[in-house]
Amino acid sequence: MKKILLLTVFVFAAACYGQNAESRNNAIKANFSQAALGAWQQHSLDKVRDYFQYLELLANETSSEPLKAQLKESIYTLFEARNTMVIDITSADKTPMTLENLLEKMDKFKRPLKISIKKKRLSSYFSDNYWMNIYTIEITVDNNTMINDVSQKIYFLPQIKDFGGKSKEVWSLKLGEME
């Protein structure tokens, strides 16, 4: 009788663990409807657009030093980490570099820069904590135009936030690696 009871408990525990592992692997899809995910994806494109607009301002020679410092901090808050690998938007070959290095380069760029998102495609692939945004950017520097196709991870993660004496789980978007 003990063996049967022990075996039953073991099978039940294994089944529960397997369900928990599956829900962790599809945390995004488990917590949001397809329509809600589509809205979050659209919002992530707004964050990408903000990133490129901040880069344009950072490269602008008329931007003051305090403004440039604020722009860098605003860009860092958009990304998951300062050492995230991004593409060098000043070259046609999409050279990978850290976000921190790109911002230092843009700070010294001092030439008119215009970045536009031309084509975008919402991904149907969702990992447990990210999806891919795929878009085409048009970069104009000194009347020369470059067009690059970009794939970028968008991290979508729950975070515990404190509001007064209460804690609540909220989901937030962070930009990730580009290629």
Side-chain angles (χ1 to χ4, degrees), residues 119-152:
K119 294 183 207 167
K120 48 194 174 264
R121 184 174 60 101
L122 297 179
S123 175
S124 58
Y125 171 77
F126 293 92
S127 153
D128 56 337
N129 64 352
Y130 73 89
W131 64 77
M132 298 297 290
N133 272 358
I134 301 162
Y135 51 90
T136 301
I137 55 174
E138 183 179 276
I139 306 158
T140 305
V141 180
D142 298 328
N143 295 321
N144 294 320
T145 300
M146 298 175 281
I147 296 177
N148 282 327
D149 293 322
V150 179
S151 296
Q152 183 174 21

Side-chain angles (χ1 to χ4, degrees), residues 52-63:
F52 290 129
Q53 288 174 343
Y54 291 156
L55 287 179
E56 287 176 4
L57 288 169
L58 190 60
N60 190 329
E61 61 189 21
T62 62
S63 295

Side-chain angles (χ1 to χ4, degrees), residues 19 38 45-46 50 81-83 87 96 126 147 158 160 168 170:
Q19 288 176 351
L45 288 169
D46 292 339
D50 290 345
R82 288 178 180 232
N83 62 351
I87 61 170
F126 293 92
I147 296 177
I160 302 297
K168 183 175 180 170
V170 296

